[in-house]
Amino acid sequence: MRVRDWQDILREVVDAKADPAEWRAVAGDRRRGIGEDMFLAHPGVGVFQLKTYAKNPFEVRGVGTEVARRVDDDIDPFFPTDGTGRFGIRSPPGDEDEAEAAAKRLATVVETHADAPTTPDAFFEDVMDAVDSPAYGPMTYEGFRRGRPDDLDALADEFEEAERLLEAEFDDLVGEVDRGFQ
């Protein structure tokens, strides 16, 4: 198991070329200390664990790793299949033309949904398609000092070795800087 920068994990998710709507996530506050934990899963790609924190309002730092190559029957129930929480991942547009094209697609989606009956799920999915998101889906999330989802604890326990390694790397990362804004 290789611990990497959290951005490298997200690049792997973006580059996976899997069905973007089949991703699922569970996230919340860390068990102790600052930051958040997150598990991202896709049945054809695998399961990834991330630990991140906001160093300041402009910079997020963290670590992550792949904890499983597939979503098996033991861990599948820990990931949501629907619900009120949603997440999406998007790389920035490559250039001005790509940004303008995405903005036009997004404006069309918003106008279409404003003029017709719709559901929040349909709107979300159409927005993710319009911005060409490589990964999005349902998410169980509790954070900002509200606690942790039970499924997040269950996944951390399931991948106990990864949890220990990531915690050690994360503690080293947080320890590299003074607390507070810089």
Side-chain angles (χ1 to χ4, degrees):
M1 177 179 347
R2 193 172 61 139
V3 176
R4 299 178 284 161
D5 184 82
W6 76 288
Q7 294 284 8
D8 293 339
I9 300 296
L10 291 182
R11 266 189 287 288
E12 188 171 330
V13 168
V14 166
D15 293 342
K17 304 291 187 232
D19 181 353
E22 288 189 30
W23 286 93
R24 300 179 288 159
V26 177
D29 290 338
R30 286 181 56 230
R31 285 181 175 159
R32 62 175 178 76
I34 64 171
E36 294 183 315
D37 289 339
M38 175 183 243
F39 283 87
L40 289 167
H42 188 286
V45 179
V47 181
F48 301 89
Q49 183 178 3
L50 303 165
K51 291 185 176 290
T52 60
Y53 79 101
K55 177 181 174 188
N56 60 50
F58 307 102
E59 183 179 359
V60 174
R61 289 189 173 183
V63 294
T65 191
E66 182 178 16
V67 294
R69 293 176 194 236
R70 64 183 185 87
V71 179
D72 64 25
D73 292 340
D74 292 338
I75 60 175
D76 186 56
F78 300 129
F79 290 98
T81 55
D82 58 9
T84 57
R86 297 279 180 206
F87 81 97
I89 297 174
R90 175 69 179 116
S91 298
D95 58 28
E96 189 174 318
D97 291 338
E98 189 178 326
E100 286 178 15
K104 286 179 185 175
R105 288 191 310 270
L106 184 57
T108 300
V109 165
V110 171
E111 288 172 13
T112 301
H113 280 271
D115 294 337
T118 192
T119 65
D121 289 342
F123 179 65
F124 176 79
E125 201 156 312
D126 288 348
V127 166
M128 292 294 103
D129 287 342
V131 298
D132 198 24
S133 174
Y136 62 89
M139 177 179 192
T140 302
Y141 176 79
E142 291 178 28
F144 304 113
R145 309 253 189 269
R146 289 183 297 181
R148 290 170 59 91
D150 291 339
D151 290 336
L152 186 57
D153 285 330
L155 285 163
D157 292 344
E158 181 75 25
F159 298 106
E160 188 176 349
E161 181 183 339
E163 178 72 13
R164 272 196 310 273
L165 283 171
L166 285 173
E167 276 295 318
E169 288 286 330
F170 189 78
D171 286 343
D172 289 347
L173 181 68
V174 172
E176 289 177 4
V177 297
D178 295 328
R179 301 285 176 156
F181 296 111
Q182 295 192 2

